[in-house]
Amino acid sequence: MAAEMALLKPISKFSPKLSPNPITRPGAKSFRVSMSTTSTPTKTSKKGNKKEIQETLLTPRFYTTDFDEMEQLFNTQINKNLNEAEFEALLQEFKTDYNQTHFVRNSEFKEAADKLDGPLRQIFVEFLERSCTAEFSGFLLYKELGRRLKKTNPVVAEIFSLMSRDEARHAGFLNKGLSDFNLALDLGFLTKARKYTFFKPKFIFYATYLSEKIGYWRYITIYRHLKENPEYQCYPIFKYFENWCQDENRHGDFFSALMKAQPQFLNDWKAKLWSRFFCLSVYVTMYLNDCQRTAFYEGIGLNTKEFDMHVIIETNRTTARIFPAVLDVENPEFKRKLDRMVEINQKIIAIGETDGIGFVKNLKRIPLVAALVSEILAAYLMPPIESGSVDFAEFEPQLVY
């Protein structure tokens, strides 16, 4: 409980940095943005040009799972660990819908977008694209789970449906933000054309819990920083992060309850190994992604690595309440390993950007990929922190600040 309620460290230590030499904004042009899993050019439609986004290992993904197994897990006749009172309390929390009228746009959005120029404008568009894709991914998964579990466990099914409502609202709000930049994600195209990654239910629980909790800490940290440093408030979407992140927090609490209802996912040596694996996967992915996009964080006055480590530490403390083992992220060696991964990843990217034969470039990548895997493995093998408990007090809805 204390870890979840821990106060943030002061954000003022983050060094403000602005992108140098901004370039003039190009002439406004309307695009419909789609995601492609290939490198072939997209076709121009009557509604505008389709802008392709290159998919990599770090790109937000769409997930599917074993829905038959999910039905068995939440069948009250089979699983006697299901705490129906806790799920009823969570359902009432979601039904309250605190953010029903929160996501209301105003004229500030378009005005702010028109003032963003040069590299910061480009990186801001990418932030909106990636965030919208991630939220839409959650919407699709939660919607399908809500549909599949309706007969097996109506209460859990309804919670999933209400979470899909939240994710759809977030994705729509972000897509409206793209319209301020004369762009839009073709979400219908995404649904049909995007590759789906299969995860077993227990892996969905680990990964989604972490995703929601790390989303909370990212949003609340940015919100607090900009509240203290309003001169970096370059676009009004950040003003919505305080309430928005509470959606992420509630979603994470629900997945915590789901894992408590499946103690086999938390109480053995395999659970400890998988918990650490997913923590490392989520933390490394965020760190490498963000270090490729330092212009965005510098543009809002944050030091990227300090911001990321703050988010990782707070997420890890929160996660320690439920996962049986977590990484020792506050050990300085953990950050040193992350920084070495960034250096190696930058070299891999640089090879990809050079002219040359693909086969030769792949050969050059091999020792670097091996070095990256070695650093990841070394971070995984660091002595973990034993944590977690499935013996929680009765559920009480609360804000986390």
Side-chain angles (χ1 to χ4, degrees):
M1 187 71 70
E4 186 171 293
M5 295 299 293
L7 294 175
L8 283 164
K9 296 176 184 176
I11 306 302
S12 57
K13 68 174 184 176
F14 294 162
S15 344
K17 297 179 183 177
L18 292 173
S19 301
N21 304 323
I23 59 176
T24 306
R25 174 192 170 193
K29 196 171 184 180
S30 179
F31 293 96
R32 285 188 67 82
V33 181
S34 64
M35 298 290 291
S36 173
T37 56
T38 69
S39 57
T40 54
T42 53
K43 296 179 180 179
T44 301
S45 71
K46 293 181 181 179
K47 295 182 180 180
N49 296 324
K50 286 186 177 181
K51 175 187 169 187
E52 180 182 287
I53 302 171
Q54 186 67 34
E55 183 169 339
T56 71
L57 288 174
L58 301 180
T59 302
R61 297 178 180 276
F62 284 10
Y63 294 96
T64 187
T65 190
D66 185 334
F67 295 103
D68 291 335
E69 184 181 341
M70 280 286 192
E71 289 182 11
Q72 291 181 358
L73 292 174
F74 296 108
N75 187 319
T76 54
Q77 302 301 314
I78 298 174
N79 186 354
K80 303 302 181 182
N81 291 310
L82 292 168
N83 185 339
E84 295 184 47
E86 182 174 23
F87 287 120
E88 286 285 357
L90 282 162
L91 177 58
Q92 294 309 311
E93 182 81 355
F94 280 102
K95 279 184 174 180
T96 303
D97 196 6
Y98 298 100
N99 288 333
Q100 183 177 11
T101 60
H102 180 60
F103 297 96
V104 179
R105 287 163 49 84
N106 54 45
S107 59
E108 281 187 71
F109 283 81
K110 182 62 178 172
E111 292 170 2
D114 289 341
K115 292 177 183 176
L116 283 174
D117 291 322
L120 183 57
R121 181 182 178 86
Q122 181 180 351
I123 204 73
F124 210 90
V125 166
E126 186 180 351
F127 159 74
L128 292 172
E129 289 170 349
R130 294 176 63 84
S131 299
C132 182
T133 302
E135 297 284 357
F136 189 65
S137 169
F139 157 73
L140 291 175
L141 177 64
Y142 297 161
K143 181 182 178 183
E144 186 63 12
L145 283 167
R147 186 180 72 82
R148 294 290 190 104
L149 297 174
K150 192 172 291 186
K151 293 182 179 178
T152 305
N153 193 317
V155 172
V156 170
E158 189 172 0
I159 294 175
F160 272 119
S161 296
L162 293 174
M163 290 203 305
S164 74
R165 169 206 67 194
D166 296 342
E167 301 290 307
R169 190 178 283 157
H170 300 166
F173 195 63
L174 288 158
N175 212 11
K176 281 288 187 180
L178 281 169
S179 70
D180 297 326
F181 298 86
N182 302 319
L183 299 164
L185 272 171
D186 188 342
L187 298 177
F189 174 83
L190 275 178
T191 305
K192 297 175 183 177
R194 196 73 186 276
K195 290 180 179 178
Y196 285 71
T197 301
F198 178 85
F199 268 5
K200 288 177 67 66
K202 69 176 179 180
F203 300 152
I204 289 287
F205 294 162
Y206 295 143
T208 310
Y209 171 84
L210 280 164
S211 174
E212 298 288 1
K213 288 298 183 180
I214 207 167
Y216 166 81
W217 283 110
R218 286 172 65 86
Y219 284 3
I220 196 63
T221 301
I222 291 173
Y223 173 81
R224 288 172 175 164
H225 162 69
L226 292 176
K227 188 175 181 180
E228 293 179 7
N229 303 276
E231 66 273 21
Y232 292 107
Q233 187 76 256
C234 58
Y235 188 67
I237 199 168
F238 301 118
K239 297 178 182 178
Y240 291 75
F241 276 13
E242 183 180 30
N243 286 30
W244 187 336
C245 72
Q246 292 302 335
D247 283 343
E248 311 292 329
N249 189 48
R250 279 185 285 271
H251 295 183
D253 287 344
F254 173 59
F255 276 98
S256 177
L258 294 184
M259 287 186 283
K260 285 161 55 182
Q262 312 296 334
Q264 71 274 20
F265 296 162
L266 297 172
N267 62 6
D268 62 14
W269 64 270
K270 289 184 289 185
K272 292 182 179 181
L273 294 178
W274 283 119
S275 295
R276 288 160 53 201
F277 171 81
F278 279 97
C279 282
L280 185 62
S281 298
V282 170
Y283 301 161
V284 168
T285 299
M286 183 186 75
Y287 204 81
L288 295 184
N289 258 325
D290 288 353
C291 286
Q292 290 180 39
R293 297 166 177 84
T294 55
F296 171 77
Y297 296 96
E298 291 171 356
I300 58 174
L302 289 170
N303 178 294
T304 307
K305 290 184 177 180
E306 289 181 7
F307 166 73
D308 272 16
M309 283 309 302
H310 171 75
V311 170
I312 287 171
I313 288 170
E314 296 298 344
T315 302
N316 205 60
R317 289 174 179 173
T318 302
T319 301
R321 296 181 62 240
I322 183 69
F323 279 20
V326 293
L327 303 171
D328 186 8
V329 300
E330 297 182 59
N331 183 332
E333 181 58 26
F334 183 79
K335 184 179 185 302
R336 284 194 286 269
K337 291 185 186 302
L338 287 179
D339 288 337
R340 286 196 288 269
M341 292 178 208
V342 169
E343 292 173 8
I344 296 167
N345 191 50
Q346 288 172 341
K347 292 176 182 178
I348 293 172
I349 293 170
I351 290 173
E353 293 174 347
T354 59
D355 295 328
I357 302 170
F359 176 72
V360 175
K361 291 199 287 187
N362 286 336
L363 285 177
K364 292 180 179 178
R365 286 191 187 103
I366 290 174
L368 292 171
V369 171
L372 182 60
V373 171
S374 177
E375 289 293 345
I376 293 172
L377 183 60
Y380 181 75
L381 293 176
M382 288 177 64
I385 296 174
E386 299 289 322
S387 61
S389 171
V390 294
D391 300 320
F392 282 84
E394 185 177 349
F395 172 77
E396 295 181 4
Q398 57 188 352
L399 298 180
V400 178
Y401 283 109

